[in-house]
Amino acid sequence: MTSILITCGVIIAIATFVIGAYNNGVRLRNYVKEAFSTMDVYMKKRWDLIPNLVETVKGYASHEKGLLEQLTQLRSGNYSTMSDAQKLETNSELTQVLTRFMAVAENYPDLKANQNFMQLSDELSAVEADIANARKYYNGTVRELNTFLEVFPTNMIGSMFGIQREKMFEISESERQNVKVSFND
């Protein structure tokens, strides 16, 4: 009788651990999805600001045609049909081009004084800050999920139930470089 009680106690303890670990893995996976959705909202907001910014700058910086075309080309896809990986890749490229774009705009006093440009520039700066914060949150939730999937014994629970690792948001090597402004585009 005692061995049956001990066996039942061990089975209950193991089942409780498995259920708790599974629920924790699902919770972490949902945090990652929420974090990506938050970041996605800000990236979409930036996506929608770009055409207005490009149109405002066109009249002032016509000889920056190459940079404007590059920005327009990056923005030409349909955001809602992109995969999460495509959104991250495209927005990484947009970050790089927008940084160059804003650096070039600094060289046009009339443009910098334009009320519409100033408003769009301020909105873009705010969105960029929101994206940076959302990326930090996203990476934090991914770190938690990936740690759960790497440590013993929860790594067995994660693999048993098909919970997958997620990729951290990382900037490209070209984004790590200083912005180089060239007027030969």
Side-chain angles (χ1 to χ4, degrees), residues 92 95-96 169-179:
S92 178
T95 297
Q96 183 181 2
F169 179 87
E170 297 174 349
I171 62 171
S172 66
E173 189 57 39
S174 59
E175 286 180 273
R176 295 178 196 275
Q177 306 301 316
N178 286 335
V179 176

Side-chain angles (χ1 to χ4, degrees), residues 16 22 43 59 68 71 75 83 85 117 124 142 154 160 170:
T16 301
Y22 171 77
M43 290 187 305
L68 293 171
L71 196 53
R75 171 61 181 70
S83 69
F117 177 77
L124 184 61
V142 168
T154 55
M160 204 164 64
E170 297 174 349

Side-chain angles (χ1 to χ4, degrees), residues 18-37:
V18 169
I19 291 168
Y22 171 77
N23 288 341
N24 191 35
V26 169
R27 179 181 56 78
L28 291 170
R29 183 178 57 199
N30 288 337
Y31 284 161
V32 169
K33 288 178 182 177
E34 175 211 11
F36 183 85
S37 293

Side-chain angles (χ1 to χ4, degrees), residues 33-102:
K33 288 178 182 177
E34 175 211 11
F36 183 85
S37 293
T38 300
M39 185 171 56
D40 192 38
V41 166
Y42 294 123
M43 290 187 305
K44 175 69 168 112
K45 190 173 181 179
R46 174 174 65 176
W47 185 267
D48 292 340
L49 275 174
I50 290 170
N52 296 330
L53 198 57
V54 167
E55 285 302 315
T56 301
V57 172
K58 272 184 183 177
Y60 290 92
S62 58
H63 69 280
E64 301 299 337
K65 186 178 178 189
L67 187 58
L68 293 171
E69 286 175 354
Q70 187 178 8
L71 196 53
T72 302
Q73 191 272 330
L74 278 171
R75 171 61 181 70
S76 66
N78 185 348
Y79 192 83
S80 61
T81 62
M82 291 180 176
S83 69
D84 291 351
Q86 289 171 320
K87 287 177 182 178
L88 290 174
E89 176 66 28
T90 301
N91 273 284
S92 178
E93 292 174 34
L94 276 174
T95 297
Q96 183 181 2
V97 174
L98 278 171
T99 302
R100 283 184 33 227
F101 180 78
M102 295 308 283

Side-chain angles (χ1 to χ4, degrees), residues 129-156:
D130 291 338
I131 289 172
N133 288 329
R135 286 175 180 166
K136 284 190 261 184
Y137 176 60
Y138 174 77
N139 281 345
T141 60
V142 168
R143 181 195 65 234
E144 292 297 317
L145 175 65
N146 291 346
T147 300
F148 169 85
L149 293 171
E150 292 173 6
V151 297
F152 180 81
T154 55
N155 61 341
M156 295 186 305

